[in-house]
Amino acid sequence: MGICAGLWVWGRRVIQTLGKDLTPITPSSGFTIELASAFTVVVASNVGLPISTTHCKVGSVVAVGWIRSRKAVDWHLFRNIFLAWFVTVPLSGLFSAAFMALFVYGILPYV
């Protein structure tokens, strides 16, 4: 449910950020991005590493843009994406703990 809601609310913005704002993507660079992402996922899966396909995709977009030209990548935007990856896990943990505490100590005793 949460993934569907997130995709509905933020999907278009995420696609625009990766597809246009981070670095310009041509058909050939798009093919290279997809191939590199798929290769990374297959190798990591065979080794047994849990990875995020979103992280692979962003890494491939940045790598292809960086190889084309170091100035082709919006490094300020990439920094924001990178920092958001580290903020997401602790914040979601805090929200989950708050909802669980509310449920266990606030609602459950009265049921």
Side-chain angles (χ1 to χ4, degrees):
M1 203 61 152
I3 292 174
C4 290
L7 184 59
W8 181 56
V9 173
W10 291 106
R12 184 179 185 95
R13 180 68 182 129
V14 169
I15 291 168
Q16 179 181 344
T17 299
L18 284 180
K20 292 182 181 177
D21 299 342
L22 194 55
T23 190
I25 296 177
T26 63
S28 61
S29 63
F31 176 77
T32 306
I33 289 165
E34 291 295 329
L35 190 63
S37 296
F39 180 75
T40 304
V41 169
V42 168
V43 169
S45 297
N46 286 330
V47 174
L49 294 173
I51 60 168
S52 167
T53 55
T54 304
H55 291 82
C56 291
K57 191 69 69 184
V58 171
S60 296
V61 169
V62 169
V64 167
W66 183 69
I67 288 170
R68 183 182 312 132
S69 166
R70 286 179 170 75
K71 294 180 181 181
V73 178
D74 185 352
W75 293 107
H76 179 72
L77 178 61
F78 178 67
R79 186 197 70 203
N80 291 343
I81 293 170
F82 189 76
L83 291 175
W85 289 340
F86 287 102
V87 172
T88 300
V89 173
L91 280 180
S92 61
L94 287 173
F95 280 124
S96 297
F99 282 121
M100 187 67 181
L102 177 69
F103 181 72
V104 169
Y105 299 113
I107 297 172
L108 203 58
Y110 300 107
V111 177

